[in-house]
Amino acid sequence: MDIVILAVVIAVVVLGALGGLIVGSRRKKQLPPPPPAAPDITAPPAEPHVGDEAETPRDEERRTIEEVDLPDGSTGVAVEEPPVVEELPPTEIEVPEPTAGRLIRLRARLSRSQTALGKGLLTLLSREHLDEDTWEEIEDTLLTADVGVAPTQELVDCLRERVKVLGTRTPEELRGLLREELLKLVGTDMDRVVKTEPEASKPGIVMVVGVNGTGKTTTTGKLARVLVADGRSVVLGAADTFRAAAADQLQTWGERVGAYTVRGPEGGDPASVAFDAVKEGKEMGSDVVLIDTAGRLHTKTGLMDELGKVKRVVEKHAPLDEVLLVLDATTGQNGLVQARVFAEVVDITGIVLTKLDGTAKGGIVVAVQRELGVPVKLIGLGEGADDLAPFEPEAFVDALIGE
């Protein structure tokens, strides 16, 4: 029995020792790290609504409406007055220079550039012996001045005969002789009046045509000044709808003398603008309607046909009184080619020669009249507003040959 008890005690001791060894070995192993703590998730700041502050509210002292001093009406409240807009002064109406004798007053300007023709002829005719070489020089002088072949031959033949009969030739006699023959060439019996007389039911209607660069719009504006100076009321039709700012340019000319301008959209139908201008002129009771047309290339059939359309549309109101062809005097004989084509399309009734002060080729007056059979009615002698003058043959020839 004692042996059994001893065996049980020994077994208990052995089991206790084994249990202690197992627990000690477990403690020596590294325990895994504890799981991370869950992050503290905060909601994003809410978007501000209408009336909310964009920033996060701060703890600060705020005043209530009871604490704000409100005006009691005893002191005036300053009210800002709207700025005063200054009105631009109206365009001042100019008084154009009278047209009577305008070319005579401009004779000095004309003679400065034109006397090369007259003085050249007088110098040649003053030679003691007029042989064939001299007469050829006279012909060359006339041809250089753009008089034209046929008029040149006619003038030389007349001069030959009269010099032969005259015999002795003083400077005064030669000047008188040359003046007479030049007047015959230029023509003193042609009707050079620009027909602008209104009738009972319609104003006078004038259409201005020509190629690009001849000065049509400027000429139309200057012609308006000529008519206003003569006491006429004028309506301008800006039918040049293809050239940028052409309508603005014409309107500026009109505003200077109090003429009303009818215009349309840029690139619009020029015939429509011309039609409206005549209609407006009739309703306003104006004396004259001036229609500025777009520049044409005389070699472009389509453009010339359109110009004919403008004329036909205008004549639905009333027939045209004048169709003025503007020619650049510096182009010489090339201007005659242009003149022929325009005359076929719109029946030219008169010529306006511009830039005549800048060339010694005054003979173009003779050549263009012979070519078209219509008179030169107006000439431009400079860039000034009143440098457009009615053509006067006597004053023109006197300027050619000098004093």
Side-chain angles (χ1 to χ4, degrees), residues 25-319:
S25 61
R26 287 181 178 179
R27 288 179 179 175
K28 291 179 181 179
K29 293 182 180 180
Q30 185 178 358
L31 295 177
D40 186 11
I41 300 175
T42 58
E47 294 290 333
H49 299 286
V50 177
D52 294 342
E53 294 289 341
E55 297 179 351
T56 304
R58 300 176 181 175
D59 294 333
E60 59 182 7
E61 182 180 356
R62 296 179 180 271
R63 296 184 295 172
T64 63
I65 192 169
E66 289 78 14
E67 296 171 337
V68 177
D69 295 331
L70 299 177
D72 57 1
S74 60
T75 58
V77 179
V79 178
E80 183 179 356
E81 296 183 359
V84 179
V85 179
E86 296 183 1
E87 296 184 0
L88 296 176
T91 303
E92 183 178 354
I93 304 299
E94 300 178 8
V95 179
E97 181 182 355
T99 59
R102 183 180 288 191
L103 181 57
I104 296 176
R105 292 193 298 274
L106 298 173
R107 182 190 299 177
R109 182 177 301 169
L110 177 63
S111 63
R112 282 197 296 268
S113 59
Q114 299 296 325
T115 50
L117 171 61
K119 287 183 177 179
L121 292 176
L122 284 174
T123 300
L124 292 171
L125 291 172
S126 300
R127 290 181 180 178
E128 186 176 352
H129 300 288
L130 297 179
D131 53 15
E132 288 300 320
D133 291 339
T134 302
W135 288 112
E136 287 183 5
E137 290 184 48
I138 292 174
E139 287 184 4
D140 291 341
T141 301
L142 292 169
L143 291 173
T144 303
D146 284 330
V147 174
V149 177
T152 293
Q153 192 61 51
E154 180 183 329
L155 178 58
V156 169
D157 291 344
C158 291
L159 289 174
R160 276 177 179 264
E161 183 178 351
R162 295 197 62 179
V163 167
K164 186 182 297 184
V165 173
L166 186 61
T168 304
R169 305 178 303 279
T170 64
E172 291 74 16
E173 291 172 332
L174 285 174
R175 181 174 283 105
L177 171 64
L178 187 58
R179 185 179 189 275
E180 290 177 17
E181 295 301 327
L182 287 174
L183 280 174
K184 288 180 183 179
L185 281 183
V186 172
T188 57
D189 56 348
M190 304 181 80
D191 183 9
R192 303 183 186 277
V193 177
V194 179
K195 296 178 177 60
T196 56
E197 291 295 332
E199 298 179 4
S201 59
K202 77 171 189 71
I205 306 173
V206 180
M207 187 165 74
V208 183
V209 302
V211 300
N212 291 308
T214 56
K216 288 186 295 28
T217 302
T218 299
T219 297
T220 305
K222 290 182 178 181
L223 179 55
R225 294 179 65 89
V226 170
L227 294 170
V228 170
D230 290 340
R232 307 287 183 84
S233 57
V234 179
V235 169
L236 298 173
D240 184 355
T241 59
F242 301 119
R243 183 170 65 87
D248 293 337
Q249 181 184 357
L250 188 64
Q251 184 170 354
T252 299
W253 278 103
E255 290 174 348
R256 291 177 180 175
V257 293
Y260 180 71
T261 302
V262 176
R263 54 188 297 178
E266 186 174 340
D269 182 15
S272 175
V273 176
F275 183 88
D276 291 342
V278 177
K279 179 182 178 182
E280 192 73 24
K282 292 174 68 175
E283 293 177 351
M284 295 174 63
S286 300
D287 296 324
V288 187
V289 176
L290 299 180
I291 301 172
D292 176 36
T293 60
R296 307 286 160 173
L297 297 174
H298 60 284
T299 56
K300 298 293 184 181
T301 305
L303 293 177
M304 296 304 293
D305 290 344
E306 189 176 74
L307 186 62
K309 174 190 172 184
V310 174
K311 180 177 182 290
R312 291 191 301 273
V313 169
V314 169
E315 289 181 334
K316 290 182 179 179
H317 276 301

